[in-house]
Amino acid sequence: MSPHTGTDTRRSCVRPPHFDILWLPRAAMRSVEGDPSDCVLVVGVSRPKMAATILVIMLLSLFLTFHILYDSALNSLQAASNDRPRPPTLLFSKQFYPSATRRLPQAIIIGVRKCGTRALLEMLSLHPAIQKAAGEVHFFDRDENYYRGLDWYRMKMPHSYPEQITIEKSPSYFVTPEVPERIRAMNSSIKLLLIVREPVTRAISDYTQLRSHAATAPSFTFGTSSPQRSFQQLALHSNGSINEAYRPLAISVYHNYIHRWLETFPREQILIVNGDLLIEDPLSQIQRIEDFLGLESKISTHNFYFNETKGFFCLRNETSDRCLRETKGRKHPRVDPLVISKLRRYFAEHNQKFYELVGEDMGWPEE
C-alpha cells in the first residue's frame, strides 16, 4: 500500500469533535488492502478525567435502575398483602423518600364496641390515601400507655405521606371519660368516626363475644356471672325489670357517652356511621366517610362482594379477595322476641335523647 493511499485513508476518517478517541482506517489494521473509506474505532480514552466521568455516570445509572426495580417489586408484594408502600431500606432511601414517616393520626374510630369498628377500618384501608394502624392501640384510654407520651403513640402508627390520612381505632375510647380531652390535647381539629348499631342487637352481640371469651378462658369468669347464664337472665332481673347495670346494655345507652364528646369537639368533627347499614350496604357509608375526610372517592362496588357462606360482604382490592376473620359475624343466640320487644321499649327513650344530641334519627325500632 502506497504512502499516499494510507494518507488518503486517514484523511477520510473523521474524528468526532467532542470525544477524545482514535479512529483508524481498517486498512491500517491488516496487511490486505481494503476499502480506504472503511474506518474502525480503537476503544480507549486518552483523557483520564473524561474516563472517570463516564464511569461514574454508568454506575449511577445502574444504581438508579436497580433502585427503581427493587422499589417496584417491594410495592407489588405489599399491595398483594393490602399494605401501603413503606419507605424502602436501601442506602440513601431517605433522600428518595424524604416525606415518608410515622405521623400522629388525623382521624380516629372512637367506637362503639361490637358495632363494626374492625370492618369499618378494613374497608377504609382500601382507599389509597388512608393508612391504618395495626391492632387497637389503646393510647388514650389506658394510663400506662398514655403516660408513655405522644412519641410512643406515633411509633404505633404506620408510615405515611403528607397526602395520606393515618387512622386508628380503639372502641373503648367512646366510653372512657378521660379520652375526649386527651384527644383534643393532641389535635383539636381531628376527625372522629363513631359507628353505632341498633342498641339491642349491639348488646346481644356484646354478650355473644363475652360468652365466647369466657368459654375459652382458663377459668370461667363472666363478670360476676356464670358463663352458662343466658342473655335474658343477665339482661333482666328475676322480677322482670331491666338490669341497667349489665355492661352490654349500659354501653348501648349512647347518649350517656356522646355528650362528653360534644362538649369537647364541634359536632362537624364527629361523623355518625350507621353500623347496620354498613353490613347491608357498605358502600353508602364508606362514601359518606370519604366526603367527611375530604378524600377523593376511590372505593366503589367492585371493592365488595357478598359471601353467601359467611352472610356478609367481604373485601376486594386489585390483587386479592379477603373476609374478616372467623370471630367476626358470630351467630347470635336465640333470644325470646318478648324480651327483645321489652328491651327496645326501654331503649326508645334513650335513643330519642341520642338522636337529639347528634341531630340524626337512626330509625331504630321501638318494639
Side-chain angles (χ1 to χ4, degrees):
M1 183 172 59
S2 68
H4 295 290
T5 303
T7 303
D8 294 340
T9 302
R10 284 191 295 272
R11 289 174 180 173
S12 68
C13 294
V14 180
R15 170 184 165 185
H18 302 296
F19 293 91
D20 192 13
I21 54 183
L22 181 62
W23 290 81
L24 290 176
R26 187 180 301 277
M29 303 294 291
R30 60 187 183 182
S31 60
V32 182
E33 288 192 15
D35 184 352
S37 65
D38 187 10
C39 299
V40 297
L41 171 67
V42 176
V43 179
V45 180
S46 62
R47 296 182 181 178
K49 290 183 179 180
M50 178 178 287
T53 301
I54 294 173
L55 181 60
V56 169
I57 292 173
M58 291 176 63
L59 290 175
L60 283 175
S61 298
L62 287 173
F63 174 80
L64 290 173
T65 301
F66 173 75
H67 189 286
I68 293 170
L69 291 174
Y70 172 86
D71 197 34
S72 176
L74 181 64
N75 285 342
S76 297
L77 290 173
Q78 291 168 342
S81 62
N82 201 39
D83 285 340
R84 294 294 180 270
R86 298 188 181 95
T89 56
L90 285 180
L91 186 64
F92 308 131
S93 62
K94 290 184 179 180
Q95 296 178 14
F96 289 100
Y97 295 86
S99 60
T101 185
R102 298 182 190 273
R103 305 170 193 276
L104 293 172
Q106 297 89 47
I108 298 178
I109 300 174
I110 58 175
V112 176
R113 169 185 167 91
K114 302 311 299 174
C115 287
T117 56
R118 169 55 60 183
L120 177 60
L121 185 66
E122 294 298 328
M123 290 175 185
L124 290 177
S125 71
L126 293 170
H127 199 292
I130 290 181
Q131 285 279 30
K132 66 180 177 70
E136 296 177 3
V137 183
H138 289 287
F139 176 67
F140 297 102
D141 62 319
R142 294 180 180 174
D143 289 346
E144 64 271 24
N145 291 338
Y146 185 69
Y147 292 125
R148 291 175 176 177
L150 289 177
D151 286 338
W152 179 90
Y153 185 44
R154 184 184 290 106
M155 292 305 296
K156 296 296 182 181
M157 297 299 112
H159 284 91
S160 65
Y161 296 89
E163 66 274 11
Q164 292 180 312
I165 291 177
T166 299
I167 186 170
E168 72 120 326
K169 72 103 175 174
S170 295
S172 52
Y173 286 169
F174 180 62
V175 298
T176 306
E178 300 83 6
V179 171
E181 287 290 348
R182 288 177 173 181
I183 292 180
R184 186 177 69 170
M186 178 193 71
N187 181 359
S188 61
S189 61
I190 198 166
K191 299 291 184 72
L192 304 170
L193 302 175
L194 176 67
I195 180 170
V196 294
R197 294 190 68 188
E198 190 275 314
V200 179
T201 303
R202 195 220 68 83
I204 295 173
S205 181
D206 203 350
Y207 162 82
T208 304
Q209 177 167 294
L210 290 170
R211 185 179 64 176
S212 175
H213 289 173
T216 57
S219 60
F220 289 142
T221 55
F222 197 56
T224 57
S225 307
S226 168
Q228 287 80 18
R229 298 186 68 184
S230 68
F231 174 77
Q232 177 175 332
Q233 291 172 321
L234 294 166
L236 302 179
H237 292 297
S238 57
N239 63 2
S241 61
I242 305 295
N243 181 6
E244 298 181 1
Y246 181 47
R247 187 66 171 168
L249 294 184
I251 292 177
S252 287
V253 183
Y254 303 133
H255 71 87
N256 281 343
Y257 309 98
I258 190 63
H259 73 86
R260 294 195 201 107
W261 294 91
L262 294 174
E263 291 167 0
T264 308
F265 293 95
R267 174 67 181 87
E268 57 269 21
Q269 286 180 223
I270 305 174
L271 182 68
I272 309 298
V273 181
N274 190 319
D276 298 304
L277 286 181
L278 189 73
I279 296 172
E280 300 169 5
D281 180 21
L283 185 58
S284 66
Q285 297 302 296
I286 295 301
Q287 289 176 335
R288 290 180 61 229
I289 298 172
E290 287 176 321
D291 183 63
F292 174 68
L293 296 177
L295 297 174
E296 181 181 353
S297 181
K298 292 287 187 180
I299 303 175
S300 61
T301 53
H302 85 274
N303 293 118
F304 302 96
Y305 68 96
F306 191 78
N307 186 304
E308 297 288 348
T309 302
K310 294 179 176 293
F312 52 78
F313 282 92
C314 295
L315 312 181
R316 172 183 291 130
N317 61 17
E318 291 75 10
T319 59
S320 63
D321 299 347
R322 61 192 176 88
C323 289
L324 297 179
R325 61 180 184 267
E326 296 299 326
T327 55
K328 300 301 178 181
R330 292 186 184 93
K331 185 178 180 180
H332 290 182
R334 182 186 180 279
V335 179
D336 188 333
L338 294 177
V339 174
I340 292 178
S341 294
K342 185 170 188 173
L343 289 172
R344 283 179 173 167
R345 288 194 296 272
Y346 163 76
F347 277 109
E349 181 180 351
H350 294 299
N351 293 342
Q352 287 299 324
K353 291 181 179 179
F354 177 69
Y355 299 163
E356 292 170 6
L357 285 172
V358 300
E360 292 184 38
D361 188 332
M362 309 301 291
W364 291 322
E366 299 182 359
E367 288 291 339

